[in-house]
Amino acid sequence: QVQLVESGGGSVQAGGSLTLSCTASRYTFSASCMGWFRQAPGKEREGVALIYDYNHSTRYADSVKGRFTVSRDKAKNTVYLQMNGLQPEDTAMYYCAATPPYTSRCLYRPLDSDDYTYWGQGTQVTVSS
């Protein structure tokens, strides 16, 4: 079965950077999206970013645009979320998720769509001021 494992979370001061990784096993990217989500205590889960493997398109939430970058290493079957200029408001549990193959609609639907069926366990990001 598909397994997604996130890593790279931690605690940083405001303005710092972290890179999250999500490695997929028993999963092949094929016209599918890998998304990053986050959820803070007492708040709804929100979509942060996605990458579509077919044409390498990326999308970002307005709150992170210009600060976060999502990328993929095909050889390692891994996606990354490079987070720069972190702020306390970015504190949350971050999850990666993947859609089934040939789910191109994920590229055009809201970042927090219900197209994602595979989820990682999450990695905590804490940003202090």
Side-chain angles (χ1 to χ4, degrees), residues 1-4 6 22 24-28 32-35 37 95-101 103 114-121:
Q1 59 185 20
V2 173
Q3 182 177 2
L4 306 179
E6 304 99 330
C22 177
S25 61
R26 293 177 289 277
Y27 179 86
T28 301
S32 57
C33 287
M34 181 72 76
F37 299 79
Y95 301 88
C96 68
T99 69
T103 316
D114 60 357
D115 295 322
Y116 298 87
T117 58
Y118 309 113
W119 291 82
Q121 84 290 346

Side-chain angles (χ1 to χ4, degrees), residues 3 21 24 27 33 36 51 57 60 63 86-87 97-98 104 109 113 115 123:
Q3 182 177 2
S21 301
Y27 179 86
C33 287
W36 285 98
I51 184 166
S57 294
Y60 302 91
S63 59
L86 285 164
Q87 301 298 315
S104 60
R109 298 181 70 195
S113 74
D115 295 322
T123 185

Side-chain angles (χ1 to χ4, degrees), residues 11-77:
S11 181
V12 298
Q13 292 186 329
S17 299
L18 285 172
T19 300
L20 307 183
S21 301
C22 177
T23 299
S25 61
R26 293 177 289 277
Y27 179 86
T28 301
F29 296 102
S30 182
S32 57
C33 287
M34 181 72 76
W36 285 98
F37 299 79
R38 66 186 182 186
Q39 187 168 23
K43 293 185 176 295
E44 298 292 324
R45 184 185 67 194
E46 63 174 330
V48 175
L50 68 79
I51 184 166
Y52 181 60
D53 73 295
Y54 186 76
N55 59 7
H56 307 100
S57 294
T58 58
R59 289 176 55 205
Y60 302 91
D62 289 341
S63 59
V64 307
K65 190 174 299 182
R67 299 188 296 121
F68 290 11
T69 303
V70 63
S71 61
R72 174 189 173 191
D73 186 327
K74 296 176 63 175
K76 298 182 181 297
N77 215 35

